[in-house]
Amino acid sequence: MVSRVIPVDPFDLVIFGGTGDLARRKVLPALFRRFCAGQMQQASRIIGAARTDMDETAYRRVVSEAIHEFSPSTACEDGTLEQFLQCIHYVTVDAMGEQGWAELTEKVTSVDRVEAYYFSVAPSLFGPLAERLQGHGLADRRARIVVEKPFGRDLATARELNGTLARYFDEGQIYRIDHYLGKETVQNLMAVRFGNMLFEPLWNSQFVDHIQITVAETVGVGGRGEYYDRAGAMRDMVQNHLMQLLCLIAMEPPSRFDPDAVRDEKLKVIRALEPVEPHHIARGQYEADPDDPETHPDYRTAVDNPRSKTESFVALKTHIANWRWAGTPFYLRTGKRMRQRSSEISIVFKETPHSIFGEEAGRHRNVLSIRLQPNEGITLGVTIKEPGPGGMRLIDVPLDMTFADALGADGGESVDAYERLIMDVIRGNQTLFMRGDEVEAAWAWTDPIIEGWQNRGEVPKPYASLGSGPDDANNLMRRDHREWRKI
Ligand code: NDP
Ligand code: BG6
């Protein structure tokens, strides 16, 4: 199935940190794929900016290598990479000093078009960058800034950062990235909920027993040990990605699919989240891979901190205090070095109130599973009669819609989250970006959980590498006579 691509008007995008890991792995390959798809036009300009002194030719080489390494299978005709590289420019700029700003200003103020500034640098540079953009006359109404995570490390720092950015930019100019919101299936979640009559009447505590959100990764902390050990799974994943998924599942139908209508509803969910009881949380740290401890060491070795109390796994139960969800628990779970890479949301419906088939037929429940990755798709477990003679025995079978099967061999056009989000910045659509008050509300819920661990001096439990997390996580479910979906 070929989707229609509407080109965006030529734009200027300055990538601060244009030589860094994120720019090379995600941002530049995403732009290249939009170029190949015909959405980004040749007249657009991408300006890498960092302190390293290099000329345009050298930077074009950096970009070319990044695309070969991180987007090797992009189907793009011969010569297209060369054309794309013509859009690439570079300025040596110091976010903390005056070097390069005059040249950058000259480059971007020459034409009347959207100007976007991607802050792909350490969070400590977000404030100085905003200040300098304003100081050099680059923060006018055409300007948009794209701010990467982490957005603060608690409520106080997030507030401070929001305050700093607000001094130079309106909220309508600030695009806070949560790349989970750019994932195809995450948006499909809204389409499923609000585009079908089928589910909405059942979408409440009267019919839903509980909801599970799992984001499991097989990778460890990789080369980001220093950052990760200061963050942990709660700050790195739950406060943002899992929180956003929870919001989309739990929010009331917005009146329109527009940025503020959607974000108002998400905010109400976050504000209605109940504090989490300490015994409703399980934390873990992964152990070394017994078969290959050199390549996959334990968490503490990986982050080079033998006494680390930071969690690489967290599972918790929370409730939403409103009419729709009172009494329905939400179970969230995320971890590194887990058995499988698997991100899934499961809506587990209640059992039928009475079985007309007698006790031996068993009691069954429907489960709607939304798989974010891999094999994006949606499965609805339904109960049917087991085929064959000899009584009414019931079994559960999946009604499975794997997007790749339903939409053609390529699953529709596969668009990476960063491709969609960057194009939304250029189009000026903030629906899939976090608003400042949302981020603060999420920290307000997260902070007491983390402070509680610190005050009680809690140490995460070890869990087997490539397993399903610590026993405490299973006990959390067992106590409620429930179980986690298999990963
Ligand atoms: P890197 O350390 O790989 O890159 C940092 C970039 O910033 C480099 O291009 C560096 O170039 C530039 N830089 C550093 N200091 C200055 C300065 N004073 N002025 C101008 N440029 C400067 O970091 P990442 O790419 O990994 O991360 C960037 C941001 O993205 C961070 O906020 C991170 O938390 C976030 N992020 C990263 C993810 C990832 O997977 N990498 C995932 C999600 C978010 P030079 O030294 O030449 O100046
Ligand atoms: C990032 C986290 O935001 O998301 C990483 O900082 C994590 O720790 C990553 O690995 C997961 O993203 P994805 O798209 O691979 O599920």
Side-chain angles (χ1 to χ4, degrees), residues 255-304:
S255 56
R256 293 172 311 282
F257 188 57
D258 84 11
D260 278 328
V262 171
R263 296 185 300 177
D264 286 346
E265 295 305 335
K266 287 198 292 165
L267 180 62
K268 286 183 206 160
V269 173
I270 305 175
R271 289 190 172 154
L273 277 175
E274 289 187 350
V276 181
E277 303 282 339
H279 62 285
H280 289 163
I281 311 182
R283 293 169 81 214
Q285 269 181 352
Y286 61 81
E287 293 176 325
D289 182 346
D291 297 330
D292 189 2
E294 290 291 311
T295 320
H296 298 298
D298 64 279
Y299 174 82
R300 290 177 175 195
T301 307
V303 299
D304 197 17

Side-chain angles (χ1 to χ4, degrees), residues 204-485:
N204 56 55
S205 60
Q206 196 187 339
F207 297 100
V208 176
D209 178 72
H210 72 278
I211 289 173
Q212 297 186 20
I213 303 177
T214 294
V215 178
E217 301 182 88
T218 50
V219 293
V221 296
R224 297 169 70 215
E226 199 186 325
Y227 150 77
Y228 193 91
D229 201 40
R230 276 185 284 112
M234 194 72 193
R235 287 191 176 96
D236 185 51
M237 297 295 287
V238 178
Q239 186 271 347
N240 39 79
H241 304 326
L242 277 83
M243 176 70 79
Q244 290 295 324
L245 298 180
L246 184 149
C247 286
L248 298 179
I249 289 287
M251 70 183 184
E252 294 301 313
S255 56
R256 293 172 311 282
F257 188 57
D258 84 11
D260 278 328
V262 171
R263 296 185 300 177
D264 286 346
E265 295 305 335
K266 287 198 292 165
L267 180 62
K268 286 183 206 160
V269 173
I270 305 175
R271 289 190 172 154
L273 277 175
E274 289 187 350
V276 181
E277 303 282 339
H279 62 285
H280 289 163
I281 311 182
R283 293 169 81 214
Q285 269 181 352
Y286 61 81
E287 293 176 325
D289 182 346
D291 297 330
D292 189 2
E294 290 291 311
T295 320
H296 298 298
D298 64 279
Y299 174 82
R300 290 177 175 195
T301 307
V303 299
D304 197 17
N305 180 2
R307 289 214 292 269
S308 172
K309 290 183 183 169
T310 304
E311 75 289 349
S312 59
F313 173 98
V314 66
L316 61 85
K317 173 167 84 164
T318 186
H319 283 92
I320 298 172
N322 64 18
W323 275 46
R324 185 188 282 266
W325 294 117
T328 300
F330 284 71
Y331 297 92
L332 314 185
R333 170 175 65 157
T334 183
K336 295 205 180 278
R337 292 296 290 156
M338 307 274 290
R339 182 176 296 132
Q340 266 195 60
R341 179 171 190 244
S342 163
S343 299
E344 189 180 85
I345 300 166
S346 295
I347 321 295
V348 182
F349 290 92
K350 291 187 173 169
E351 289 178 350
T352 49
H354 165 72
S355 170
I356 65 166
F357 305 111
E359 281 311 306
E360 64 281 11
R363 297 279 281 280
H364 294 259
R365 44 177 52 161
N366 303 110
V367 180
L368 177 69
S369 295
I370 299 145
R371 291 188 306 278
L372 308 184
Q373 56 197 24
N375 306 327
E376 300 177 350
I378 294 178
T379 305
L380 177 63
V382 291
T383 302
I384 59 163
K385 176 188 170 298
E386 192 177 358
M392 183 65 95
R393 289 183 304 273
L394 303 184
I395 53 168
D396 295 328
V397 294
L399 284 182
D400 195 338
M401 188 179 84
T402 302
F403 293 158
D405 296 341
L407 302 176
D410 60 356
E413 190 196 5
S414 158
V415 176
D416 174 78
Y418 276 88
E419 295 177 56
R420 173 173 294 111
L421 294 174
I422 296 169
M423 287 301 110
D424 276 359
V425 172
I426 305 303
R427 282 186 288 244
N429 185 346
Q430 289 186 305
T431 311
L432 301 177
F433 296 84
M434 294 179 298
R435 211 168 53 191
D437 50 6
E438 260 185 273
V439 179
E440 289 184 15
W443 280 122
W445 177 80
T446 313
D447 278 0
I449 299 174
I450 297 174
E451 279 161 21
W453 295 336
Q454 284 162 355
N455 295 341
R456 293 189 297 274
E458 275 183 25
V459 180
K461 302 273 174 64
Y463 64 93
S465 190
L466 302 184
S468 58
D471 289 343
D472 285 2
N474 294 326
N475 295 337
L476 176 71
M477 278 292 197
R478 268 189 221 117
R479 282 203 299 270
D480 294 349
H481 308 289
R482 298 185 173 105
E483 56 184 28
W484 290 107
R485 305 265 301 162

